[in-house]
Amino acid sequence: MKKILTLFLCTWIALSALEPGKNYDFFQRNGQNVLGAELIDETDAEYTVRLKYVPKPIKITRSNLAEIPVLSKTQPPVREPGLQIKRDVVLNTSLGFAYMTIGGLSGIFRSGFEARIGADWLLFEKPVYRLRAISVLSTFARYQSSARRIQLISGYAGPKFLLWRFEAMDAAIFGSALAGISYADLKGYTFTASYATFAAMGLLSFEKRWKSIAFAAQLYVNSLFDSTLNFESTGVSVAAQYPLGGAAPF
């Protein structure tokens, strides 16, 4: 008989476990009911609750209850979770071909090649105001014409925005506006020059996810901001992206 009572008591305690932070109505045998009380904690012997009009928490003994506590009709408002900065990162690499150049040297260097490696820091679980990530890229570009060449080593950083998403295809279009520094190495027939200058890049990318990897087709524009060298290039590139951990490209 004692074992049966113990088993019944343990079962009753398990079934009567409540959720802290919720409001409950406690009906006591002595008639002093406690209604709309917020549960703070509970033990095998008592409940600790808080009432709005009582400055200190109060304790209610389990043995004095006439029935199992029930949820109150009025509950505290549900707080929406705030934006949390994530640590997810997507690595990416790409190869590109510049098919058109603009500026004073475009007549000499009409096309070139570019390679990139970088990462996208996915700030949030989902885009916020279309902001998907902060991108960091390092690039190497080379424009050759016989013995003459322009060689650029650059570093960029900037926001990446989700422009359009194709749910059925598991694909999306992104736009990036990046700014940074380029180290330019110029070589002509009779001179050489090397210096660093401010640079910018615009990137439009169509990305398609396949399993855990995403592939992209991109249009890009590069520009150097220097009084002695007016040089812009535009081209196409292909990229592969690999997410680290549980990150998703989009």
Side-chain angles (χ1 to χ4, degrees):
M1 184 66 179
K2 188 176 181 180
K3 292 182 178 180
I4 295 175
L5 290 175
T6 302
L7 179 61
F8 174 79
L9 180 61
C10 293
T11 303
W12 185 84
I13 291 174
L15 292 175
S16 61
L18 308 182
E19 183 178 349
K22 296 282 189 179
N23 293 344
Y24 292 90
D25 295 334
F26 296 85
F27 298 95
Q28 303 190 83
R29 294 177 181 176
N30 58 12
Q32 296 180 355
N33 299 329
V34 181
L35 306 179
E38 178 189 353
L39 178 65
I40 299 175
D41 190 22
E42 69 172 299
T43 66
D44 294 344
E46 62 185 11
Y47 297 98
T48 303
V49 300
R50 180 186 292 112
L51 291 170
K52 293 182 180 179
Y53 49 85
V54 178
K56 294 183 179 181
I58 61 176
K59 295 184 182 297
I60 300 175
T61 305
R62 281 181 182 266
S63 60
N64 194 41
L65 292 178
E67 59 182 80
I68 296 175
V70 296
L71 276 172
S72 301
K73 293 182 179 180
T74 303
Q75 294 294 327
V78 178
R79 296 180 180 178
E80 293 293 336
L83 293 176
Q84 296 182 350
I85 301 299
K86 299 173 65 64
R87 298 181 180 179
D88 294 338
V89 173
V90 176
L91 301 179
N92 58 74
T93 182
S94 63
L95 292 173
F97 172 71
Y99 56 82
M100 184 177 68
T101 59
I102 303 170
L105 299 178
S106 61
I108 301 173
F109 304 103
R110 298 182 181 276
S111 62
F113 296 91
E114 181 170 304
R116 305 186 209 104
I117 187 170
D120 294 334
W121 174 23
L122 308 184
L123 295 173
F124 312 110
E125 183 69 28
K126 295 181 180 180
V128 176
Y129 298 108
R130 295 194 175 273
L131 176 62
R132 180 56 177 139
I134 295 296
S135 297
V136 178
L137 290 176
S138 58
T139 70
F140 174 82
R142 187 181 180 93
Y143 305 86
Q144 187 85 33
S145 177
S146 64
R148 297 171 293 181
R149 63 169 170 78
I150 298 177
Q151 190 167 280
L152 303 172
I153 299 176
S154 310
Y156 299 97
K160 179 178 182 179
F161 297 95
L162 174 63
L163 303 181
W164 197 267
R165 184 167 185 174
F166 307 94
E167 296 284 353
M169 299 173 56
D170 200 11
I173 296 177
F174 293 92
S176 302
L178 309 169
I181 298 293
S182 279
Y183 177 77
D185 183 22
L186 287 70
K187 181 179 180 181
Y189 288 128
T190 59
F191 77 96
T192 58
S194 299
Y195 58 90
T197 184
F198 178 71
M201 172 186 282
L203 193 63
L204 186 66
S205 178
F206 174 80
E207 302 179 8
K208 174 71 172 72
R209 182 163 49 191
W210 185 73
K211 296 184 178 180
S212 62
I213 302 176
F215 298 93
Q218 302 170 325
L219 296 174
Y220 68 89
V221 177
N222 289 328
S223 183
L224 297 180
F225 294 88
D226 183 79
S227 57
T228 61
L229 177 61
N230 177 22
F231 190 74
E232 289 79 33
S233 64
T234 182
V236 295
S237 56
V238 292
Q241 302 177 347
Y242 182 76
L244 298 181
F250 47 84

